[in-house]
Amino acid sequence: MQRSTGEYKIKPIKKKVRELLGYPHPQRIPKGVFVEQWVGISTDEFHRAKDADVRYMKNVHPLIEMGWSRSDCVRYLTSRALADTPKSSCLGCPFHGNAQWRHIRDTSPAEWQDVVAFDAAIRKGNARANAAGNKLLGQAFLHRSRVPLSEAPIDHVTAAEWAAMQQELTNTEPALEELEQGVIDGCSPWACRGEVAPVQDDFGLAS
Ligand code: SF4
């Protein structure tokens, strides 16, 4: 989602890059001084490869240069005994499937607390947008069920989730896969897969 990309990814990256270059904000970075940033977009997703929006960062896409698709990457990782490498994404991504939420809950209690707190914090939308008069009309949730993450049904797919998914998709196989594993695409600050808000209940009701 665009706001998370700008606020939580690109901003901190730019801050760190400026630090590394020795020109922290608001110092002017001389022309010709830049970092090269490698972004792992595969050929299946070449349309998501983007340039950075500042001249002190230059994006390079090695997988596209090598002509590697997602399957090539999986084949390579498997050959190195790294077949279970997870796709990249933010910790609190609303596109996670139940498997990803369970993985955080079951393997990293501190990160789970973090995402639960983040989910609660976004319920009424973005504080800055609200203050600027762009109030969220409903409520925002990280989990598709529109239930607070701490109580969300991440151990199984509910009938309501299944029905909602069926309205969006016609093929049942990918639907189930997506509820469990999340959307297939990975994500990067420069190639965000979702320029949409978290799951929102426009009527302000949690179903
Ligand atoms: S992984 Fe991408 S879509 Fe998900 S929260 Fe992060 S930037 Fe947004």
mmCIF file of all heavy atoms in Angstrom, residues 1 4-5 9 89-90 92-95 187 192-194, ligand 1:
data_model
loop_
_atom_site.group_PDB
_atom_site.id
_atom_site.type_symbol
_atom_site.label_atom_id
_atom_site.label_comp_id
_atom_site.label_asym_id
_atom_site.label_seq_id
_atom_site.Cartn_x
_atom_site.Cartn_y
_atom_site.Cartn_z
ATOM 1 N N MET A 1 0.844 -1.181 0.000
ATOM 2 C CA MET A 1 0.000 0.000 0.000
ATOM 3 C C MET A 1 0.877 1.227 0.000
ATOM 4 O O MET A 1 1.909 1.245 0.626
ATOM 5 C CB MET A 1 -0.953 -0.043 1.191
ATOM 6 C CG MET A 1 -0.309 0.170 2.537
ATOM 7 S SD MET A 1 -1.376 -0.303 3.873
ATOM 8 C CE MET A 1 -0.204 -1.029 4.956
ATOM 9 N N SER A 4 2.110 2.920 3.368
ATOM 10 C CA SER A 4 3.112 2.162 4.113
ATOM 11 C C SER A 4 4.439 2.214 3.382
ATOM 12 O O SER A 4 5.497 2.290 3.989
ATOM 13 C CB SER A 4 2.660 0.706 4.302
ATOM 14 O OG SER A 4 2.888 -0.051 3.138
ATOM 15 N N THR A 5 4.381 2.177 2.057
ATOM 16 C CA THR A 5 5.615 2.203 1.280
ATOM 17 C C THR A 5 6.367 3.495 1.525
ATOM 18 O O THR A 5 7.559 3.494 1.806
ATOM 19 C CB THR A 5 5.272 2.069 -0.218
ATOM 20 O OG1 THR A 5 4.625 0.825 -0.400
ATOM 21 C CG2 THR A 5 6.512 2.112 -1.064
ATOM 22 N N LYS A 9 8.888 2.540 4.523
ATOM 23 C CA LYS A 9 9.999 1.921 3.817
ATOM 24 C C LYS A 9 10.908 2.972 3.183
ATOM 25 O O LYS A 9 12.078 3.077 3.511
ATOM 26 C CB LYS A 9 9.480 0.985 2.715
ATOM 27 C CG LYS A 9 8.935 -0.325 3.237
ATOM 28 C CD LYS A 9 8.497 -1.168 2.070
ATOM 29 C CE LYS A 9 8.357 -2.622 2.457
ATOM 30 N NZ LYS A 9 7.973 -3.441 1.302
ATOM 31 N N SER A 89 8.327 -9.061 2.301
ATOM 32 C CA SER A 89 7.182 -8.164 2.538
ATOM 33 C C SER A 89 7.358 -7.502 3.894
ATOM 34 O O SER A 89 8.177 -7.910 4.700
ATOM 35 C CB SER A 89 5.869 -8.937 2.510
ATOM 36 O OG SER A 89 5.786 -9.799 3.612
ATOM 37 N N CYS A 90 6.570 -6.471 4.142
ATOM 38 C CA CYS A 90 6.570 -5.825 5.456
ATOM 39 C C CYS A 90 5.977 -6.796 6.475
ATOM 40 O O CYS A 90 5.152 -7.630 6.133
ATOM 41 C CB CYS A 90 5.691 -4.581 5.450
ATOM 42 S SG CYS A 90 6.273 -3.278 4.381
ATOM 43 N N GLY A 92 3.849 -6.103 8.844
ATOM 44 C CA GLY A 92 2.404 -5.881 9.014
ATOM 45 C C GLY A 92 1.700 -5.674 7.686
ATOM 46 O O GLY A 92 0.884 -4.764 7.555
ATOM 47 N N CYS A 93 1.967 -6.511 6.721
ATOM 48 C CA CYS A 93 1.353 -6.332 5.399
ATOM 49 C C CYS A 93 -0.068 -6.884 5.381
ATOM 50 O O CYS A 93 -0.295 -8.035 5.754
ATOM 51 C CB CYS A 93 2.185 -7.048 4.341
ATOM 52 S SG CYS A 93 1.443 -6.907 2.703
ATOM 53 N N PRO A 94 -1.040 -6.096 4.920
ATOM 54 C CA PRO A 94 -2.420 -6.592 4.866
ATOM 55 C C PRO A 94 -2.634 -7.668 3.807
ATOM 56 O O PRO A 94 -3.705 -8.249 3.730
ATOM 57 C CB PRO A 94 -3.222 -5.328 4.531
ATOM 58 C CG PRO A 94 -2.259 -4.398 3.905
ATOM 59 C CD PRO A 94 -0.907 -4.704 4.477
ATOM 60 N N PHE A 95 -1.615 -7.943 3.005
ATOM 61 C CA PHE A 95 -1.745 -8.992 1.987
ATOM 62 C C PHE A 95 -1.241 -10.344 2.500
ATOM 63 O O PHE A 95 -1.214 -11.308 1.747
ATOM 64 C CB PHE A 95 -0.988 -8.602 0.715
ATOM 65 C CG PHE A 95 -1.600 -7.412 0.034
ATOM 66 C CD1 PHE A 95 -1.100 -6.147 0.248
ATOM 67 C CD2 PHE A 95 -2.696 -7.563 -0.803
ATOM 68 C CE1 PHE A 95 -1.672 -5.048 -0.366
ATOM 69 C CE2 PHE A 95 -3.281 -6.469 -1.416
ATOM 70 C CZ PHE A 95 -2.769 -5.199 -1.199
ATOM 71 N N CYS A 187 7.242 -8.060 -2.489
ATOM 72 C CA CYS A 187 7.077 -6.612 -2.482
ATOM 73 C C CYS A 187 8.418 -5.952 -2.207
ATOM 74 O O CYS A 187 9.278 -6.551 -1.582
ATOM 75 C CB CYS A 187 6.086 -6.225 -1.389
ATOM 76 S SG CYS A 187 5.338 -4.629 -1.679
ATOM 77 N N CYS A 192 5.967 -1.741 -4.948
ATOM 78 C CA CYS A 192 4.906 -2.178 -4.044
ATOM 79 C C CYS A 192 3.793 -2.878 -4.817
ATOM 80 O O CYS A 192 3.344 -2.406 -5.841
ATOM 81 C CB CYS A 192 4.342 -0.988 -3.288
ATOM 82 S SG CYS A 192 3.066 -1.484 -2.146
ATOM 83 N N ARG A 193 3.371 -4.026 -4.287
ATOM 84 C CA ARG A 193 2.345 -4.798 -4.998
ATOM 85 C C ARG A 193 0.947 -4.260 -4.749
ATOM 86 O O ARG A 193 0.006 -4.617 -5.423
ATOM 87 C CB ARG A 193 2.390 -6.245 -4.548
ATOM 88 C CG ARG A 193 2.033 -6.396 -3.085
ATOM 89 C CD ARG A 193 2.208 -7.811 -2.633
ATOM 90 N NE ARG A 193 2.323 -7.850 -1.187
ATOM 91 C CZ ARG A 193 3.002 -8.759 -0.541
ATOM 92 N NH1 ARG A 193 3.663 -9.667 -1.194
ATOM 93 N NH2 ARG A 193 3.058 -8.757 0.761
ATOM 94 N N GLY A 194 0.782 -3.449 -3.743
ATOM 95 C CA GLY A 194 -0.582 -3.036 -3.440
ATOM 96 C C GLY A 194 -0.686 -1.559 -3.156
ATOM 97 O O GLY A 194 -0.326 -1.115 -2.096
HETATM 98 S S1 SF4 B 1 4.719 -5.522 1.679
HETATM 99 FE FE1 SF4 B 1 4.154 -3.993 0.102
HETATM 100 S S2 SF4 B 1 1.928 -4.046 0.079
HETATM 101 FE FE2 SF4 B 1 2.565 -5.020 1.957
HETATM 102 S S3 SF4 B 1 2.556 -3.375 3.477
HETATM 103 FE FE3 SF4 B 1 4.611 -3.516 2.631
HETATM 104 S S4 SF4 B 1 4.669 -2.023 0.984
HETATM 105 FE FE4 SF4 B 1 2.539 -2.384 1.451
#
